[in-house]
Amino acid sequence: MPSHLRTSQRRHLLKAVLAAGSAPLFIRHAFAADPAERFALGLASGCPRADGLVLWTRLTGPDLPTQTEVHWEMAEDEAFTRIAARGTEQALLEDAHSVHAEPSGLKPDRWYWYRFTALGARSQLGRTRTAPAGDAKVQQLRFAIASCQRWDHGRYAAWADMAKQDLDLVLFMGDYIYENAAVSNASASGPSPRVHQGGLCRSLSDYRQRYAQYKSDPALQAMHARAPWIIIWDDHEVDNDWAGDQSQGLEADFPQRRIAAAKAYWEHMPFTQAMRPRGADLRLFNRFDWGDLARIITVDDRQWRDPQVCPKPGRGGSNTQSLKECPDFLDPRRSMLGAAQELRLAQSWDRSRPWNLLAQQTLMARMNWEPNSEKSPIYWTDGWDGYPMARQRLLRDMQAAQVQNAVVLGGDVHAHYVADLKLDFADPASPVLATEFCGTSISSQGLDQARVAGAMGHNPHFRYGRSDQRGYMSFKLQPQGLDAALHSVRDPWDAASRVDVLARFAVEAGRPGAQAA
């Protein structure tokens, strides 16, 4: 993106942030740097633990050496008068000059400020925090979930709005980039429509360029600078609807493409060195404990899944099929997570904490698209409905672990959904085991709302369903309950659009299932 457009974007978003009141100083700093500087893609933090986390940046600009020293420092105050940690990393050409610093020995449950210096340039400031100690008495966790930020489907007013919230943590559920080639977008308003640079991402260079384009957005940069993130991927970081070594187009060279995509993904996320991919294999399964309040579990539903059942002729990937026409839906051998990851998840549920949060990619509740109860149900094959026996195993394992309160968080389907999770969705008397909040997309366009509204009547376990809303969900978690707010962008093509809270839900501890608040 030309530098004058990036400058214009940053100024435009800064005005939007300030319009709601005085922005914190660190946000003002985040927009103070010249976009032609060495840190044009911003900075980020993630993987928060009680004594450490990851600090990320990527050097930019012309004539970068093959190997460059990058200094980082963290402070307990924004003026950097109380330095808590500092160090030096090597930004290497082979890693796109990305930096993944891992400060340790930090104090638990506190906020820090951080910055980078390299080649005579200093980055903007970022703010981050550590998790509480595992045995600490914690009364509150404020977090948001987000996903699906397709560049050419809208601007990022949702990130700008989220940056004004007082959050401890962001959970990103996948589709950070889209691999699609550039297409014209007649719905884009203004003189500079959002289009992808380049063609379909296939090479390491292609994926790196796409991440750089997305990370040039000032609203996304502002939210990365605001709080630590926990991040998982879905399909578009690699290829639409991919499953293991199978792509949607069934290309013979897809395993090599996976290797390129996984490396570029790691390079651009605040991930640990231990998460560096080995070939195409990238470890995203993880556990994060937030004091004695909650365990957050992340899983990967792409690398180890069985291919989707009953695909379209000559293709891989998803389809919409009736159970009668596709009996393989019910094959008990099929897995969404893979056998090894299923076992790790079953062993990770924590009954000692009042809340378990499962961060995964997509909608878990059953969605039958056939309104006629006399006909065979119709399901989408890429989501959990395509793997119903695996879903049942997951819920049975969760039930067997006797967790106190389980909440499943997801994205992918470009709609706000709130649902009850049950072993038998067809039986109204089947007990509710967990609550699901599946957040809509930051910008990616959704299904026709009339279709979703029509499905609500014959899927009574859904409490809410809106595919015509772009935005995110925010939460306040306390020992006694979870409060959720569903945020919706008024104009997806306006970077400064107003963002409204259109619905609120609450989950009371000990009573699974969300209630409108």
Side-chain angles (χ1 to χ4, degrees), residues 189-260:
S189 60
S192 179
R194 304 254 281 195
V195 295
H196 280 147
Q197 296 171 350
L200 176 69
C201 292
R202 290 186 176 277
S203 68
L204 179 57
S205 176
D206 293 338
Y207 285 107
R208 284 172 171 172
Q209 180 186 30
R210 190 60 52 84
Y211 280 105
Q213 182 178 21
Y214 277 56
K215 282 182 168 290
S216 71
D217 187 277
L220 178 58
Q221 288 191 19
M223 195 57 239
H224 269 302
R226 184 79 166 100
W229 289 33
I230 293 173
I231 306 171
I232 53 178
W233 67 7
D234 194 20
D235 55 339
H236 288 288
E237 289 87 350
V238 183
D239 179 66
N240 184 50
D241 286 355
W242 69 284
D245 269 339
Q246 179 174 293
S247 68
Q248 185 180 53
L250 305 179
E251 295 94 346
D253 64 349
F254 182 66
Q256 287 70 44
R257 187 176 167 199
R258 273 190 63 194
I259 292 172

Side-chain angles (χ1 to χ4, degrees), residues 105-128:
L106 302 177
K107 297 176 183 177
D109 198 16
R110 73 153 297 135
W111 287 96
Y112 291 93
W113 283 259
Y114 65 99
R115 62 191 180 189
F116 297 92
T117 305
L119 301 172
R122 175 169 286 170
S123 75
Q124 57 267 56
L125 297 187
R127 190 183 78 150
T128 190

Side-chain angles (χ1 to χ4, degrees), residues 12-13 16-17 149 153-165 194 217-220 222-223 441-443 470-472 487-500:
H12 184 55
L13 181 67
V17 173
Q149 53 178 357
H153 278 194
R155 292 183 166 86
Y156 291 168
W159 288 129
D161 183 76
M162 192 189 295
K164 303 172 195 173
Q165 311 298 325
R194 304 254 281 195
D217 187 277
L220 178 58
M223 195 57 239
S441 54
I442 291 290
S443 58
R470 311 280 69 80
Y472 65 96
H487 302 255
S488 177
V489 176
R490 286 194 179 185
D491 181 357
W493 280 106
D494 181 1
S497 173
R498 179 170 173 174
V499 179
D500 302 306

Side-chain angles (χ1 to χ4, degrees), residues 48-68:
R49 304 291 183 180
D51 62 349
L53 40 76
V54 179
L55 306 179
W56 175 92
T57 193
R58 176 187 164 186
L59 297 184
T60 56
D63 304 321
L64 286 174
T66 301
Q67 181 171 318
T68 306

